[in-house]
Amino acid sequence: MSAKYAAIRTMFELIWLARLPGLVRLLSRSRGVIFTLHRVLPDTPADFSPNAILQVEPSFLEYVIERVRDLGIDIVSLDEALVRLAAPAKPRPFVVLTFDDAYKDNLKYALPILQRQEAPFTLYVPTALVDGVGELWWQAIEDIITRQEAITLTSGEETDYVDTRTTRQKQSAFDALYWQMRQMPEVQRIVLLRKFAADYGYDLDQQCRDLIMDWPELRHFAGEPLCTIGAHTVHHYELAKLPLDQARNEMAKSADIIQSQFGQRPAHISYPLGGPLSAGPREFALAREIGFASGVTTRPGGLYEHHADSPHALPRISLNGYFQSRRYVDVFATGAIFSLLGKLTG
């Protein structure tokens, strides 16, 4: 675990030991929180697993649901959350469960828990990935580096040969390539990714089919009364990097495709990656223009009355795979703590 995450763990421990979450929830004007999840898997991640941050165990998901209810917090749909945000008086506190990307493990491991617990949730669907033609580039570079003892990193006309024999070397190579791709225009990133995958015999299309549900599998969710299907664009691009018309098309077309598949147009959207580099005021305005009722980011924070006036820029709190300690759930459920931390670190 990096120094950053070790510091966060220490902070969570101190907050929990001081019994601050209960007091903050009592005094705060925060009305609720939206949790971000991605993968739900029973497997213990390997030593080199930079994307383990996106993965929680089924038992942890079930505990989260049970614990927030024990705290007197309702688990509600996004539609109900918007109603509670707009209420003139502070309503009962609430949590919204959201899952990004439509991973197959959501069907195998998450859905049975959500059904057993009768917990409403939202599943955000990137349509090209469901078609099996997208790129889960963040996972692809991890997979390639995992099985290599050395890789080449290319920047401009320069090529470096990097050892990846140890876990530390693999993590260093991953960080370098990850942030190189994050800083590129999407067209250039795709070219680099495709070349990198081809150089090491990695089948990106097969990876997509292996990890992401197809349309027949998604019908289990579309027919589930607890589930709200949301849009997550077509190709899972960082929208802020795209020209205006392309960004609009990514958002609107994803809703069109989901409507054609399931007969109902999604009312909610999640911006891919969702941080300040990936989505901002332009994307929030596009979501409103297209007709979405809400848009969720990955900016940390609780939900307040004022968010009823900006429902296309809602914060979320990540149920992070690095912090699956049961005592931290009280911290995660306390939106005001994350709103304050966001201001201090922003």
Side-chain angles (χ1 to χ4, degrees):
M1 183 180 295
S2 69
K4 170 187 173 182
Y5 291 116
I8 293 172
R9 181 185 291 276
T10 299
M11 179 182 62
F12 283 176
E13 288 285 348
L14 292 173
I15 290 171
W16 181 79
L17 287 169
R19 301 182 183 275
L20 284 177
L23 178 62
V24 172
R25 283 194 303 275
L26 180 66
L27 300 177
S28 168
R29 290 178 295 173
S30 174
R31 296 191 167 194
V33 300
I34 303 174
F35 284 150
T36 308
L37 298 105
H38 290 82
R39 308 197 66 184
V40 179
L41 286 167
D43 310 320
T44 300
D47 289 341
F48 171 67
S49 298
N51 289 299
I53 193 172
L54 303 177
Q55 173 181 329
V56 299
E57 296 177 1
S59 59
F60 183 70
L61 171 60
E62 190 142 33
Y63 178 79
V64 168
I65 293 170
E66 293 172 347
R67 179 57 182 166
V68 297
R69 285 173 168 163
D70 288 345
L71 293 171
I73 300 171
D74 296 336
I75 299 175
V76 304
S77 67
L78 261 175
D79 291 325
E80 173 63 19
L82 294 179
V83 170
R84 295 193 186 195
L85 285 177
K90 185 177 178 180
R92 278 178 58 85
F94 63 87
V95 156
V96 181
L97 301 173
T98 65
F99 296 79
D100 285 8
D101 300 343
Y103 284 98
K104 284 181 185 287
D105 49 69
N106 290 179
L107 176 59
K108 184 174 182 179
Y109 296 108
L111 184 58
I113 294 170
L114 297 162
Q115 290 173 325
R116 181 168 58 250
Q117 294 286 347
E118 298 183 351
F121 64 98
T122 297
L123 179 72
Y124 291 111
V125 175
T127 57
L129 273 61
V130 178
D131 287 332
V133 295
E135 300 99 3
L136 285 80
W137 62 269
W138 56 95
Q139 187 63 52
I141 62 176
E142 175 186 321
D143 293 347
I144 294 168
I145 292 170
T146 294
R147 64 192 194 191
Q148 298 299 135
E149 293 192 351
I151 62 168
T152 58
L153 293 179
T154 301
S155 179
E157 296 182 357
E158 296 185 4
T159 298
D160 291 327
Y161 296 90
V162 178
D163 283 335
T164 54
R165 286 172 290 182
T166 69
T167 299
R168 179 172 292 187
Q169 289 171 331
K170 289 180 186 297
Q171 185 63 57
S172 178
F174 177 89
D175 291 343
L177 186 53
Y178 177 90
W179 285 108
Q180 181 184 4
M181 289 188 175
R182 284 294 308 275
Q183 293 163 5
M184 285 180 159
E186 294 293 72
V187 172
Q188 294 180 23
R189 180 184 59 75
I190 294 167
V191 170
L192 176 60
L193 175 67
R194 288 281 173 182
K195 183 179 185 306
F196 187 66
D199 287 346
Y200 296 100
Y202 188 87
D203 189 334
L204 289 165
D205 294 336
Q206 185 62 52
Q207 176 224 31
C208 193
R209 291 190 294 270
D210 288 344
L211 293 182
I212 303 298
M213 285 183 276
D214 58 24
W215 293 109
E217 289 170 318
L218 273 175
R219 292 191 185 281
H220 292 282
F221 288 87
E224 171 54 61
L226 293 167
C227 181
T228 298
I229 298 287
H232 200 33
T233 74
V234 177
H235 294 97
H236 201 278
Y237 294 154
E238 293 184 76
L239 293 167
K241 293 181 178 181
L242 303 178
L244 177 63
D245 288 346
Q246 187 180 0
R248 181 189 290 110
N249 186 63
E250 279 284 321
M251 298 165 73
K253 189 175 179 182
S254 67
D256 294 341
I257 293 169
I258 292 169
Q259 182 176 16
S260 70
Q261 288 286 340
F262 303 131
Q264 185 171 351
R265 192 172 185 82
H268 308 281
I269 189 167
S270 169
Y271 310 107
L273 279 75
L277 296 176
S278 308
R282 186 192 72 165
E283 288 68 44
F284 307 153
L286 283 175
R288 182 173 58 249
E289 172 193 314
I290 291 166
F292 290 108
S294 79
V296 294
T297 70
T298 56
R299 293 164 171 81
L303 298 173
Y304 295 81
E305 183 180 2
H306 68 81
H307 285 113
D309 298 323
S310 56
H312 302 93
L314 298 178
R316 291 191 289 177
I317 294 171
S318 174
L319 288 186
N320 189 308
Y322 290 162
F323 305 109
Q324 294 184 73
S325 172
R326 292 189 169 195
R327 59 183 176 270
Y328 297 162
V329 176
D330 290 29
V331 180
F332 290 135
T334 310
I337 289 175
F338 288 84
S339 297
L340 176 60
L341 292 175
K343 291 178 181 179
L344 294 176
T345 58

